[in-house]
Short mmCIF file of all heavy atoms in Angstrom, two decimals:
data_model
loop_
_atom_site.label_atom_id
_atom_site.label_comp_id
_atom_site.label_asym_id
_atom_site.label_seq_id
_atom_site.Cartn_x
_atom_site.Cartn_y
_atom_site.Cartn_z
N VAL A 1 -11.12 37.33 17.85
CA VAL A 1 -9.64 37.28 17.64
C VAL A 1 -9.37 36.81 16.25
O VAL A 1 -9.82 35.79 15.84
CB VAL A 1 -8.98 36.38 18.67
CG1 VAL A 1 -7.50 36.30 18.44
CG2 VAL A 1 -9.25 36.81 20.09
N ALA A 2 -8.62 37.55 15.49
CA ALA A 2 -8.18 37.15 14.15
C ALA A 2 -6.68 37.20 14.15
O ALA A 2 -6.07 38.27 14.38
CB ALA A 2 -8.71 38.11 13.10
N ASP A 3 -6.03 36.07 13.92
CA ASP A 3 -4.56 36.00 13.98
C ASP A 3 -4.03 36.57 15.30
O ASP A 3 -2.99 37.24 15.35
CB ASP A 3 -3.96 36.77 12.78
CG ASP A 3 -4.36 36.17 11.44
OD1 ASP A 3 -4.50 34.93 11.38
OD2 ASP A 3 -4.53 36.94 10.49
N GLY A 4 -4.74 36.27 16.35
CA GLY A 4 -4.30 36.73 17.66
C GLY A 4 -4.61 38.15 17.99
O GLY A 4 -4.29 38.66 19.07
N GLN A 5 -5.30 38.90 17.10
CA GLN A 5 -5.59 40.26 17.36
C GLN A 5 -7.08 40.42 17.72
O GLN A 5 -7.93 39.79 17.15
CB GLN A 5 -5.28 41.10 16.11
CG GLN A 5 -3.79 41.12 15.77
CD GLN A 5 -3.52 42.15 14.67
OE1 GLN A 5 -4.36 42.94 14.30
NE2 GLN A 5 -2.34 42.06 14.12
N VAL A 6 -7.33 41.30 18.71
CA VAL A 6 -8.68 41.60 19.13
C VAL A 6 -9.34 42.50 18.12
O VAL A 6 -8.80 43.56 17.76
CB VAL A 6 -8.70 42.24 20.53
CG1 VAL A 6 -10.08 42.64 20.90
CG2 VAL A 6 -8.08 41.29 21.56
N VAL A 7 -10.54 42.12 17.56
CA VAL A 7 -11.24 42.97 16.63
C VAL A 7 -12.48 43.60 17.27
O VAL A 7 -13.06 44.49 16.64
CB VAL A 7 -11.65 42.17 15.36
CG1 VAL A 7 -10.40 41.76 14.62
CG2 VAL A 7 -12.49 40.99 15.69
N PHE A 8 -12.86 43.18 18.46
CA PHE A 8 -13.98 43.76 19.17
C PHE A 8 -13.80 43.44 20.65
O PHE A 8 -13.45 42.32 20.99
CB PHE A 8 -15.31 43.23 18.67
CG PHE A 8 -16.52 43.72 19.46
CD1 PHE A 8 -17.03 44.96 19.28
CD2 PHE A 8 -17.05 42.91 20.46
CE1 PHE A 8 -18.16 45.40 20.00
CE2 PHE A 8 -18.16 43.33 21.19
CZ PHE A 8 -18.69 44.60 20.96
N GLN A 9 -14.04 44.42 21.48
CA GLN A 9 -13.96 44.19 22.92
C GLN A 9 -14.99 45.07 23.63
O GLN A 9 -15.14 46.23 23.27
CB GLN A 9 -12.58 44.50 23.44
CG GLN A 9 -12.37 44.18 24.88
CD GLN A 9 -10.92 44.31 25.31
OE1 GLN A 9 -10.05 44.78 24.59
NE2 GLN A 9 -10.59 43.87 26.51
N LYS A 10 -15.65 44.47 24.60
CA LYS A 10 -16.65 45.25 25.37
C LYS A 10 -16.58 44.76 26.80
O LYS A 10 -16.48 43.58 27.08
CB LYS A 10 -18.06 45.03 24.84
CG LYS A 10 -19.09 45.84 25.56
CD LYS A 10 -20.47 45.75 24.88
CE LYS A 10 -21.42 46.66 25.58
NZ LYS A 10 -22.70 46.76 24.93
N ARG A 11 -16.60 45.70 27.71
CA ARG A 11 -16.57 45.39 29.16
C ARG A 11 -17.89 45.88 29.78
O ARG A 11 -18.35 46.98 29.48
CB ARG A 11 -15.37 46.06 29.81
CG ARG A 11 -15.27 45.78 31.26
CD ARG A 11 -14.09 46.53 31.85
NE ARG A 11 -14.00 46.35 33.27
CZ ARG A 11 -13.21 45.51 33.89
NH1 ARG A 11 -12.37 44.78 33.21
NH2 ARG A 11 -13.23 45.44 35.23
N ASP A 12 -18.42 45.05 30.66
CA ASP A 12 -19.69 45.40 31.35
C ASP A 12 -19.55 44.88 32.77
O ASP A 12 -19.08 43.77 32.98
CB ASP A 12 -20.86 44.73 30.62
CG ASP A 12 -22.20 45.20 31.21
OD1 ASP A 12 -22.27 46.22 31.90
OD2 ASP A 12 -23.21 44.49 30.95
N GLU A 13 -20.00 45.68 33.72
CA GLU A 13 -19.99 45.26 35.11
C GLU A 13 -21.42 45.18 35.62
O GLU A 13 -22.20 46.07 35.34
CB GLU A 13 -19.16 46.23 35.98
CG GLU A 13 -17.68 46.25 35.62
CD GLU A 13 -16.90 47.04 36.62
OE1 GLU A 13 -17.31 47.25 37.75
OE2 GLU A 13 -15.77 47.44 36.23
N ARG A 14 -21.67 44.13 36.37
CA ARG A 14 -22.98 43.92 36.96
C ARG A 14 -22.83 43.68 38.44
O ARG A 14 -21.83 43.10 38.87
CB ARG A 14 -23.65 42.74 36.35
CG ARG A 14 -23.74 42.89 34.83
CD ARG A 14 -25.01 42.46 34.31
NE ARG A 14 -25.04 42.74 32.87
CZ ARG A 14 -25.97 42.23 32.12
NH1 ARG A 14 -26.88 41.45 32.65
NH2 ARG A 14 -25.98 42.54 30.87
N THR A 15 -23.83 44.07 39.22
CA THR A 15 -23.79 43.87 40.64
C THR A 15 -25.01 43.03 41.06
O THR A 15 -26.10 43.25 40.63
CB THR A 15 -23.84 45.23 41.37
OG1 THR A 15 -22.74 46.02 40.91
CG2 THR A 15 -23.77 45.07 42.86
N MET A 16 -24.68 42.06 41.95
CA MET A 16 -25.77 41.24 42.55
C MET A 16 -25.94 41.70 43.96
O MET A 16 -25.00 42.10 44.63
CB MET A 16 -25.39 39.76 42.56
CG MET A 16 -25.31 39.16 41.14
SD MET A 16 -24.91 37.40 41.15
CE MET A 16 -26.45 36.73 41.75
N ALA A 17 -27.16 41.70 44.44
CA ALA A 17 -27.48 42.11 45.81
C ALA A 17 -26.82 41.18 46.80
O ALA A 17 -26.63 39.97 46.58
CB ALA A 17 -28.99 42.08 46.02
N ALA A 18 -26.36 41.77 47.92
CA ALA A 18 -25.73 40.97 49.00
C ALA A 18 -26.70 39.88 49.42
O ALA A 18 -27.91 40.12 49.59
CB ALA A 18 -25.35 41.88 50.13
N GLY A 19 -26.19 38.66 49.56
CA GLY A 19 -26.99 37.56 49.97
C GLY A 19 -27.75 36.85 48.87
O GLY A 19 -28.42 35.86 49.10
N ALA A 20 -27.64 37.38 47.65
CA ALA A 20 -28.34 36.75 46.50
C ALA A 20 -27.73 35.39 46.20
O ALA A 20 -26.54 35.21 46.35
CB ALA A 20 -28.26 37.67 45.28
N THR A 21 -28.57 34.46 45.81
CA THR A 21 -28.05 33.14 45.47
C THR A 21 -27.39 33.21 44.07
O THR A 21 -27.83 33.94 43.22
CB THR A 21 -29.15 32.09 45.47
OG1 THR A 21 -30.17 32.55 44.56
CG2 THR A 21 -29.74 31.95 46.85
N ALA A 22 -26.31 32.42 43.95
CA ALA A 22 -25.61 32.38 42.69
C ALA A 22 -26.52 31.77 41.63
O ALA A 22 -27.36 30.93 41.91
CB ALA A 22 -24.33 31.56 42.82
N GLY A 23 -26.36 32.22 40.40
CA GLY A 23 -27.18 31.67 39.35
C GLY A 23 -26.74 32.22 38.00
O GLY A 23 -25.68 32.85 37.90
N ALA A 24 -27.49 31.96 37.02
CA ALA A 24 -27.15 32.40 35.64
C ALA A 24 -27.53 33.86 35.49
O ALA A 24 -28.52 34.33 36.07
CB ALA A 24 -27.88 31.54 34.64
N GLU A 25 -26.83 34.56 34.63
CA GLU A 25 -27.13 35.94 34.33
C GLU A 25 -27.20 36.07 32.82
O GLU A 25 -26.29 35.66 32.12
CB GLU A 25 -26.00 36.84 34.89
CG GLU A 25 -26.17 38.28 34.56
CD GLU A 25 -27.24 38.98 35.37
OE1 GLU A 25 -27.58 38.50 36.42
OE2 GLU A 25 -27.76 40.03 34.89
N TRP A 26 -28.33 36.52 32.30
CA TRP A 26 -28.47 36.71 30.86
C TRP A 26 -27.74 37.95 30.43
O TRP A 26 -27.72 38.98 31.16
CB TRP A 26 -29.96 36.81 30.49
CG TRP A 26 -30.64 35.51 30.63
CD1 TRP A 26 -31.35 35.05 31.68
CD2 TRP A 26 -30.65 34.43 29.65
NE1 TRP A 26 -31.84 33.79 31.46
CE2 TRP A 26 -31.39 33.38 30.18
CE3 TRP A 26 -30.11 34.32 28.41
CZ2 TRP A 26 -31.62 32.19 29.51
CZ3 TRP A 26 -30.32 33.10 27.72
CH2 TRP A 26 -31.07 32.07 28.31
N TYR A 27 -27.16 37.91 29.24
CA TYR A 27 -26.45 39.07 28.73
C TYR A 27 -26.62 39.09 27.19
O TYR A 27 -26.56 38.07 26.55
CB TYR A 27 -24.95 38.97 29.07
CG TYR A 27 -24.18 40.17 28.62
CD1 TYR A 27 -24.25 41.38 29.29
CD2 TYR A 27 -23.38 40.11 27.45
CE1 TYR A 27 -23.61 42.47 28.86
CE2 TYR A 27 -22.69 41.24 27.01
CZ TYR A 27 -22.80 42.41 27.75
OH TYR A 27 -22.12 43.52 27.33
N LYS A 28 -26.84 40.25 26.68
CA LYS A 28 -27.00 40.43 25.24
C LYS A 28 -26.27 41.66 24.81
O LYS A 28 -26.35 42.73 25.50
CB LYS A 28 -28.48 40.53 24.88
CG LYS A 28 -28.75 40.76 23.42
CD LYS A 28 -30.22 40.91 23.14
CE LYS A 28 -30.45 41.31 21.71
NZ LYS A 28 -31.86 41.63 21.43
N THR A 29 -25.57 41.62 23.69
CA THR A 29 -24.93 42.78 23.12
C THR A 29 -24.84 42.63 21.62
O THR A 29 -24.86 41.50 21.14
CB THR A 29 -23.51 43.03 23.75
OG1 THR A 29 -23.04 44.32 23.33
CG2 THR A 29 -22.55 41.96 23.31
N ASP A 30 -24.76 43.71 20.91
CA ASP A 30 -24.55 43.67 19.48
C ASP A 30 -23.06 43.72 19.20
O ASP A 30 -22.31 44.45 19.81
CB ASP A 30 -25.22 44.90 18.81
CG ASP A 30 -26.73 44.83 18.89
OD1 ASP A 30 -27.29 43.70 18.78
OD2 ASP A 30 -27.35 45.89 19.05
N ILE A 31 -22.62 42.86 18.27
CA ILE A 31 -21.26 42.83 17.82
C ILE A 31 -21.22 43.29 16.37
O ILE A 31 -21.71 42.57 15.50
CB ILE A 31 -20.67 41.41 17.97
CG1 ILE A 31 -20.74 40.97 19.45
CG2 ILE A 31 -19.25 41.37 17.45
CD1 ILE A 31 -20.32 39.55 19.69
N PRO A 32 -20.68 44.49 16.13
CA PRO A 32 -20.66 44.99 14.74
C PRO A 32 -19.66 44.18 13.87
O PRO A 32 -18.51 44.05 14.20
CB PRO A 32 -20.18 46.44 14.90
CG PRO A 32 -19.42 46.44 16.19
CD PRO A 32 -20.03 45.39 17.07
N LEU A 33 -20.19 43.63 12.77
CA LEU A 33 -19.36 42.84 11.91
C LEU A 33 -19.10 43.50 10.53
O LEU A 33 -18.43 42.93 9.67
CB LEU A 33 -19.96 41.44 11.69
CG LEU A 33 -20.12 40.57 12.94
CD1 LEU A 33 -20.83 39.28 12.63
CD2 LEU A 33 -18.73 40.31 13.55
N ASN A 34 -19.64 44.67 10.34
CA ASN A 34 -19.53 45.38 9.05
C ASN A 34 -18.08 45.60 8.63
O ASN A 34 -17.77 45.46 7.42
CB ASN A 34 -20.24 46.74 9.04
CG ASN A 34 -21.72 46.60 9.22
OD1 ASN A 34 -22.26 45.57 9.01
ND2 ASN A 34 -22.37 47.70 9.62
N ASP A 35 -17.20 45.90 9.53
CA ASP A 35 -15.79 46.16 9.17
C ASP A 35 -14.88 45.00 9.51
O ASP A 35 -13.67 45.18 9.53
CB ASP A 35 -15.33 47.44 9.95
CG ASP A 35 -16.12 48.67 9.51
OD1 ASP A 35 -16.53 48.73 8.34
OD2 ASP A 35 -16.33 49.57 10.36
N VAL A 36 -15.43 43.84 9.81
CA VAL A 36 -14.61 42.64 10.13
C VAL A 36 -14.38 41.87 8.80
O VAL A 36 -15.29 41.53 8.11
CB VAL A 36 -15.31 41.76 11.14
CG1 VAL A 36 -14.55 40.48 11.40
CG2 VAL A 36 -15.49 42.53 12.44
N ALA A 37 -13.11 41.62 8.52
CA ALA A 37 -12.75 40.90 7.29
C ALA A 37 -13.28 39.45 7.36
O ALA A 37 -13.39 38.85 8.45
CB ALA A 37 -11.24 40.91 7.15
N PRO A 38 -13.63 38.89 6.19
CA PRO A 38 -14.05 37.50 6.17
C PRO A 38 -12.95 36.61 6.75
O PRO A 38 -11.74 36.90 6.59
CB PRO A 38 -14.24 37.19 4.69
CG PRO A 38 -14.51 38.54 4.06
CD PRO A 38 -13.70 39.51 4.86
N GLY A 39 -13.34 35.57 7.45
CA GLY A 39 -12.34 34.67 8.01
C GLY A 39 -12.91 33.97 9.30
O GLY A 39 -14.05 34.16 9.65
N LYS A 40 -12.03 33.19 9.89
CA LYS A 40 -12.41 32.45 11.09
C LYS A 40 -11.99 33.23 12.33
O LYS A 40 -10.95 33.83 12.38
CB LYS A 40 -11.72 31.09 11.10
CG LYS A 40 -12.21 30.17 9.99
CD LYS A 40 -11.57 28.83 10.04
CE LYS A 40 -12.08 27.95 8.90
NZ LYS A 40 -11.47 26.63 8.95
N TYR A 41 -12.92 33.22 13.31
CA TYR A 41 -12.70 33.96 14.55
C TYR A 41 -13.12 33.14 15.72
O TYR A 41 -13.75 32.10 15.59
CB TYR A 41 -13.56 35.27 14.54
CG TYR A 41 -13.14 36.24 13.50
CD1 TYR A 41 -13.62 36.13 12.18
CD2 TYR A 41 -12.26 37.25 13.77
CE1 TYR A 41 -13.23 36.99 11.17
CE2 TYR A 41 -11.88 38.18 12.79
CZ TYR A 41 -12.37 38.05 11.49
OH TYR A 41 -11.98 38.91 10.49
N VAL A 42 -12.78 33.63 16.91
CA VAL A 42 -13.20 32.95 18.18
C VAL A 42 -13.78 34.04 19.07
O VAL A 42 -13.10 35.03 19.40
CB VAL A 42 -12.02 32.29 18.89
CG1 VAL A 42 -12.46 31.70 20.21
CG2 VAL A 42 -11.39 31.18 18.00
N LEU A 43 -15.03 33.86 19.48
CA LEU A 43 -15.67 34.76 20.44
C LEU A 43 -15.30 34.24 21.81
O LEU A 43 -15.54 33.08 22.13
CB LEU A 43 -17.19 34.73 20.26
CG LEU A 43 -18.00 35.48 21.32
CD1 LEU A 43 -17.72 36.95 21.28
CD2 LEU A 43 -19.47 35.17 21.14
N VAL A 44 -14.71 35.09 22.61
CA VAL A 44 -14.35 34.70 24.01
C VAL A 44 -15.15 35.56 24.97
O VAL A 44 -15.13 36.79 24.94
CB VAL A 44 -12.81 34.96 24.25
CG1 VAL A 44 -12.44 34.55 25.68
CG2 VAL A 44 -12.00 34.18 23.22
N VAL A 45 -15.89 34.87 25.83
CA VAL A 45 -16.70 35.55 26.86
C VAL A 45 -16.12 35.14 28.20
O VAL A 45 -15.94 33.98 28.48
CB VAL A 45 -18.18 35.15 26.80
CG1 VAL A 45 -18.99 35.81 27.85
CG2 VAL A 45 -18.75 35.49 25.40
N GLN A 46 -15.83 36.14 29.05
CA GLN A 46 -15.22 35.91 30.33
C GLN A 46 -16.01 36.59 31.41
O GLN A 46 -16.34 37.79 31.27
CB GLN A 46 -13.79 36.38 30.36
CG GLN A 46 -13.09 36.18 31.74
CD GLN A 46 -11.64 36.56 31.70
OE1 GLN A 46 -10.96 36.22 30.79
NE2 GLN A 46 -11.23 37.28 32.72
N ALA A 47 -16.32 35.89 32.48
CA ALA A 47 -17.01 36.49 33.62
C ALA A 47 -16.13 36.30 34.84
O ALA A 47 -15.62 35.19 35.07
CB ALA A 47 -18.35 35.80 33.83
N THR A 48 -15.96 37.34 35.63
CA THR A 48 -15.10 37.26 36.83
C THR A 48 -15.88 37.77 38.03
O THR A 48 -16.50 38.82 37.97
CB THR A 48 -13.88 38.16 36.64
OG1 THR A 48 -13.16 37.73 35.45
CG2 THR A 48 -12.92 38.03 37.84
N SER A 49 -15.83 37.01 39.09
CA SER A 49 -16.45 37.39 40.34
C SER A 49 -15.51 38.31 41.10
O SER A 49 -14.34 38.06 41.16
CB SER A 49 -16.75 36.13 41.20
OG SER A 49 -17.09 36.53 42.47
N ARG A 50 -16.07 39.39 41.62
CA ARG A 50 -15.26 40.29 42.43
C ARG A 50 -14.95 39.67 43.82
O ARG A 50 -14.01 40.02 44.47
CB ARG A 50 -15.91 41.63 42.63
CG ARG A 50 -15.84 42.47 41.37
CD ARG A 50 -16.38 43.82 41.58
NE ARG A 50 -17.50 43.96 40.65
CZ ARG A 50 -18.49 44.79 40.77
NH1 ARG A 50 -18.59 45.51 41.85
NH2 ARG A 50 -19.45 44.87 39.88
N VAL A 51 -15.82 38.74 44.24
CA VAL A 51 -15.62 38.08 45.50
C VAL A 51 -15.06 36.69 45.21
O VAL A 51 -15.73 35.93 44.53
CB VAL A 51 -17.00 37.95 46.25
CG1 VAL A 51 -16.80 37.16 47.56
CG2 VAL A 51 -17.60 39.30 46.52
N GLY A 52 -13.87 36.43 45.65
CA GLY A 52 -13.26 35.16 45.39
C GLY A 52 -12.53 35.08 44.09
O GLY A 52 -11.81 34.15 43.80
N LYS A 53 -12.69 36.10 43.26
CA LYS A 53 -12.01 36.21 41.95
C LYS A 53 -12.19 34.92 41.11
O LYS A 53 -11.31 34.51 40.37
CB LYS A 53 -10.53 36.46 42.17
CG LYS A 53 -10.26 37.74 42.91
CD LYS A 53 -10.78 38.94 42.17
CE LYS A 53 -10.46 40.23 42.95
NZ LYS A 53 -11.08 41.37 42.36
N ASN A 54 -13.35 34.29 41.19
CA ASN A 54 -13.64 33.15 40.35
C ASN A 54 -13.86 33.60 38.91
O ASN A 54 -14.42 34.68 38.67
CB ASN A 54 -14.94 32.42 40.82
CG ASN A 54 -14.78 31.85 42.21
OD1 ASN A 54 -13.74 31.30 42.54
ND2 ASN A 54 -15.77 32.01 43.01
N VAL A 55 -13.36 32.80 37.93
CA VAL A 55 -13.43 33.19 36.53
C VAL A 55 -14.10 32.03 35.74
O VAL A 55 -13.80 30.87 35.95
CB VAL A 55 -12.03 33.45 35.95
CG1 VAL A 55 -12.12 33.77 34.49
CG2 VAL A 55 -11.37 34.58 36.72
N ALA A 56 -15.00 32.42 34.85
CA ALA A 56 -15.62 31.44 33.91
C ALA A 56 -15.35 32.00 32.50
O ALA A 56 -15.53 33.17 32.23
CB ALA A 56 -17.11 31.31 34.15
N VAL A 57 -14.91 31.12 31.63
CA VAL A 57 -14.61 31.54 30.26
C VAL A 57 -15.26 30.57 29.28
O VAL A 57 -15.26 29.37 29.49
CB VAL A 57 -13.05 31.51 29.97
CG1 VAL A 57 -12.73 31.88 28.52
CG2 VAL A 57 -12.32 32.43 30.96
N GLN A 58 -15.85 31.11 28.23
CA GLN A 58 -16.43 30.33 27.16
C GLN A 58 -15.89 30.81 25.85
O GLN A 58 -15.84 32.04 25.59
CB GLN A 58 -17.99 30.46 27.19
CG GLN A 58 -18.67 29.64 26.17
CD GLN A 58 -18.65 28.14 26.51
OE1 GLN A 58 -18.87 27.77 27.62
NE2 GLN A 58 -18.30 27.32 25.50
N GLN A 59 -15.46 29.91 24.98
CA GLN A 59 -14.95 30.27 23.67
C GLN A 59 -15.82 29.62 22.59
O GLN A 59 -16.12 28.40 22.65
CB GLN A 59 -13.49 29.76 23.53
CG GLN A 59 -12.56 30.44 24.48
CD GLN A 59 -11.14 30.05 24.28
OE1 GLN A 59 -10.75 29.46 23.22
NE2 GLN A 59 -10.27 30.37 25.22
N VAL A 60 -16.21 30.40 21.62
CA VAL A 60 -17.10 29.94 20.55
C VAL A 60 -16.48 30.31 19.21
O VAL A 60 -16.41 31.50 18.84
CB VAL A 60 -18.51 30.55 20.64
CG1 VAL A 60 -19.40 30.06 19.56
CG2 VAL A 60 -19.10 30.34 22.01
N PRO A 61 -16.08 29.31 18.42
CA PRO A 61 -15.54 29.63 17.08
C PRO A 61 -16.70 29.98 16.13
O PRO A 61 -17.80 29.45 16.22
CB PRO A 61 -14.87 28.34 16.67
CG PRO A 61 -15.44 27.29 17.50
CD PRO A 61 -15.98 27.92 18.75
N PHE A 62 -16.40 30.94 15.23
CA PHE A 62 -17.40 31.28 14.18
C PHE A 62 -16.67 31.81 12.97
O PHE A 62 -15.49 32.10 13.05
CB PHE A 62 -18.41 32.32 14.72
CG PHE A 62 -17.89 33.68 14.98
CD1 PHE A 62 -18.03 34.67 14.05
CD2 PHE A 62 -17.22 33.97 16.16
CE1 PHE A 62 -17.54 35.98 14.25
CE2 PHE A 62 -16.72 35.23 16.42
CZ PHE A 62 -16.89 36.24 15.45
N GLU A 63 -17.40 31.96 11.86
CA GLU A 63 -16.75 32.35 10.64
C GLU A 63 -17.57 33.46 10.02
O GLU A 63 -18.82 33.40 9.99
CB GLU A 63 -16.64 31.19 9.63
CG GLU A 63 -15.86 31.53 8.40
CD GLU A 63 -15.52 30.25 7.61
OE1 GLU A 63 -15.71 29.15 8.08
OE2 GLU A 63 -15.04 30.42 6.46
N VAL A 64 -16.88 34.52 9.53
CA VAL A 64 -17.53 35.63 8.83
C VAL A 64 -17.32 35.39 7.38
O VAL A 64 -16.15 35.22 6.90
CB VAL A 64 -16.92 36.97 9.28
CG1 VAL A 64 -17.48 38.13 8.41
CG2 VAL A 64 -17.16 37.23 10.74
N GLY A 65 -18.39 35.29 6.61
CA GLY A 65 -18.33 35.12 5.14
C GLY A 65 -18.16 36.34 4.37
O GLY A 65 -18.31 37.48 4.91
N SER A 66 -17.92 36.21 3.11
CA SER A 66 -17.77 37.40 2.25
C SER A 66 -19.03 37.77 1.57
O SER A 66 -20.05 37.08 1.59
CB SER A 66 -16.72 37.11 1.16
OG SER A 66 -17.07 35.94 0.46
#
């Protein structure tokens, strides 16, 4: 987010087998920064459970240099 505007967004859905125990899920993606202007940004990662609609959000500030 730069000045409240989204500069990159990606959605991914994953399915856990019925009866699987809750746990951590690893996730990796490339975030293209070539066309992102230098400045301060916040990476927001959100995970939502389809069962119970539980939500977990993590925000990580970072800076793109020139």
Side-chain angles (χ1 to χ4, degrees):
V1 177
D3 298 326
Q5 295 188 12
V6 175
V7 295
F8 174 80
Q9 185 171 8
K10 183 172 184 175
R11 180 181 175 102
D12 186 17
E13 293 189 22
R14 305 222 175 167
T15 303
M16 293 181 72
T21 56
E25 177 75 23
W26 288 95
Y27 183 77
K28 177 183 173 185
T29 190
D30 292 324
I31 300 174
L33 297 176
N34 293 344
D35 297 327
V36 175
K40 295 181 179 181
Y41 294 85
V42 178
L43 172 66
V44 179
V45 179
Q46 178 175 316
T48 305
S49 168
R50 285 185 240 154
V51 177
K53 301 298 181 188
N54 297 318
V55 178
V57 177
Q58 184 70 45
Q59 297 184 13
V60 180
F62 69 98
E63 187 168 349
V64 174
S66 54

